[in-house]
Amino acid sequence: MAKGKYKKWLEPDNLTKLEGWARDGLKDTQIADNMGINVSTLYTWKNRYSEINETLKKGKEVVDYEIENSLISTMKKHTLTTTQYKMVKKDEFKLKAEREEFMNIYKFDHPEASKNEILIATAKGVEVYEKIPIIRTVTEVDPNISAMIFWLKARRPDVFRDQTFKKLNEAQARKAIAEANISEAQLKSLKEEDDPDNRTVIVDDISKLKELRDHEDSTDKQGD
């Protein structure tokens, strides 16, 4: 571990920087890389120095709250305002006034600046054109159903749990039972076909039918 290097990150300005990185959504590996240390060193510092740990935690919580608020806003009916702008040249009087104001401020901040330097700075610092709104559109946006479903599943899983897998399992169970019943019926049918007592004999005249009956009667008497 970099000895003494942690002290730098306990300073207020650097703690603010850490909070900003966390608020921007950077992962610990990315934050460690920005700090010039290994992520394992960052984990050690978080465990050892509460200032670093609390700062990173605070930054990440801000991001979580911002995302949560954004998600909540999409679940409600709201209005969305969009504005179209047009670039137009400033009024000559207005442009002159802005340039004079800029030059006075620049002279005060740069007392050693030459007249030419002041003019150049003014030309760069004061825009000739300005952006003005020409069309403003207000649109009503319906609630985001997908966001609502996600929120309810996450917040109330006991009530709004996903039924997809449950229905799929029930359908598969019904299919398995149906297939088992069909297989059982087919097996029973095969057994009945193999049983000689269930065979069907077709005779084409009365005499053969009489012979068949006489044979069956004699077989029964022998059995007795």
Side-chain angles (χ1 to χ4, degrees), residues 50-64:
S50 59
E51 297 94 326
I52 293 177
N53 184 53
E54 292 301 320
T55 296
L56 292 175
K57 183 179 178 181
K58 180 181 177 182
K60 291 179 179 179
E61 285 178 349
V62 170
V63 177
D64 291 340

Side-chain angles (χ1 to χ4, degrees), residues 74-91:
T74 65
M75 292 187 292
K76 301 177 181 178
K77 190 168 186 177
H78 57 284
T79 58
L80 180 65
T81 303
T82 57
T83 306
Q84 295 183 20
Y85 294 89
K86 181 180 180 180
M87 298 299 294
V88 299
K89 193 172 183 177
K90 292 179 181 177
D91 176 76

Side-chain angles (χ1 to χ4, degrees), residues 195-214:
D195 189 346
D197 293 335
N198 293 328
R199 285 183 296 176
T200 301
V201 179
I202 301 175
V203 294
D204 55 1
D205 58 40
I206 300 300
S207 60
K208 289 183 179 181
L209 178 60
K210 186 176 182 302
E211 292 177 3
L212 180 61
R213 287 178 177 174
D214 292 340

